[in-house]
Amino acid sequence: GQTVEVKVVKIGRERDRISLSIKQALPNPWLKAEEKYPVGTQARARILRLAHFAAFAALDEGIEGLIPVSEMSWSRVHNPAAVVQVGQVVDAVVLRVEPQKHRIPLSMKQAQPDPWAGVFDSFPANATVPGKVTRLTEFGAFIELTPGVEGLAHISELSDKRVKHPGEVIQVGEEVQARVLKVDSAQRRISLSLKPAVEY
């Protein structure tokens, strides 16, 4: 029984059918998207659906943004569902506005403080720091030192003995004490060692 405003899209005389659109009768929200969401703006977005590479989020009625998996957290993310859920409202920063393509890439991590700021002060060379093993590769173990900051202990730095695979001496989820070898803030890399320091 509701009365609505519509736009006539197509008249099909051969089937006595008229195609209507409620959406096209409304102002196009993308016409003012650049004005409303300039690059760098922090906005609230509601997660609509998830894909393996990103999350789609509503900024406004008719305007969706895309949050790539690489922009969800300062920590490495493999599955969007591990970070966000459908219906969740998140803080995000506008990266670009492409009204012609109806696309606005967003970043959740840029709406949060950069955990790498001050890393040189927090993790000086030769310091021993606690961490948790997050993943293993053929060449070493990645160890999270603080949320968003991981270091790599190369396979040659896992033990005094010869190691063929990191899984021989360390497991994912294990809490360890690691020694800082080198910090490269520009490349966001921290080299670690689980071997004891050599006394001279």
Side-chain angles (χ1 to χ4, degrees), residues 11-38:
I11 298 177
R13 289 186 168 83
E14 66 285 353
R15 294 188 179 181
D16 293 330
R17 180 181 298 170
I18 299 176
S19 299
L20 307 173
S21 172
I22 295 176
K23 180 175 78 173
Q24 291 187 37
L26 300 172
N28 183 351
W30 286 94
L31 294 178
K32 294 187 176 182
E34 284 182 292
E35 178 184 329
K36 189 170 184 179
Y37 300 104

Side-chain angles (χ1 to χ4, degrees), residues 2-189:
Q2 183 180 355
T3 300
V4 296
E5 294 286 337
V6 297
K7 180 178 181 179
V8 177
V9 177
K10 183 180 179 182
I11 298 177
R13 289 186 168 83
E14 66 285 353
R15 294 188 179 181
D16 293 330
R17 180 181 298 170
I18 299 176
S19 299
L20 307 173
S21 172
I22 295 176
K23 180 175 78 173
Q24 291 187 37
L26 300 172
N28 183 351
W30 286 94
L31 294 178
K32 294 187 176 182
E34 284 182 292
E35 178 184 329
K36 189 170 184 179
Y37 300 104
V39 173
T41 298
Q42 185 160 327
R44 302 277 283 168
R46 181 171 50 85
I47 304 299
L48 297 174
R49 61 190 184 280
L50 304 179
H52 69 277
F53 61 91
F56 295 88
L59 285 169
D60 206 341
E61 190 69 36
I63 295 185
E64 284 187 17
L66 175 78
I67 309 172
V69 69
S70 61
E71 292 293 331
M72 289 185 174
S73 172
W74 291 103
S75 300
R76 189 181 301 266
V77 176
H78 297 285
N79 182 4
V83 181
V84 294
Q85 288 79 44
V86 172
Q88 180 179 351
V89 177
V90 300
D91 290 316
V93 171
V94 176
L95 299 179
R96 292 192 312 281
V97 181
E98 303 171 11
Q100 297 81 7
K101 297 181 179 179
H102 288 193
R103 184 184 302 164
I104 299 182
L106 303 169
S107 173
M108 286 170 56
K109 74 179 185 182
Q110 291 189 32
Q112 307 296 326
D114 184 354
W116 282 84
V119 161
F120 275 118
D121 297 329
S122 302
F123 305 108
N126 293 318
T128 300
V129 294
K132 184 177 182 179
V133 179
T134 54
R135 56 199 167 95
L136 302 178
T137 67
E138 292 184 358
F139 55 83
F142 286 89
I143 300 169
E144 187 176 58
L145 304 177
T146 63
V149 177
E150 281 185 341
L152 171 66
H154 189 268
I155 192 168
S156 62
E157 293 292 336
L158 295 178
S159 173
D160 288 330
K161 299 178 181 178
R162 183 176 177 79
V163 177
K164 292 183 179 180
H165 188 275
E168 296 174 10
V169 294
I170 199 169
Q171 300 299 320
V172 171
E174 186 175 341
E175 303 280 348
V176 298
Q177 292 290 321
R179 184 164 50 87
V180 177
L181 298 179
K182 182 182 178 183
V183 177
D184 185 340
S185 280
Q187 296 295 320
R188 294 177 181 259
R189 292 177 183 166

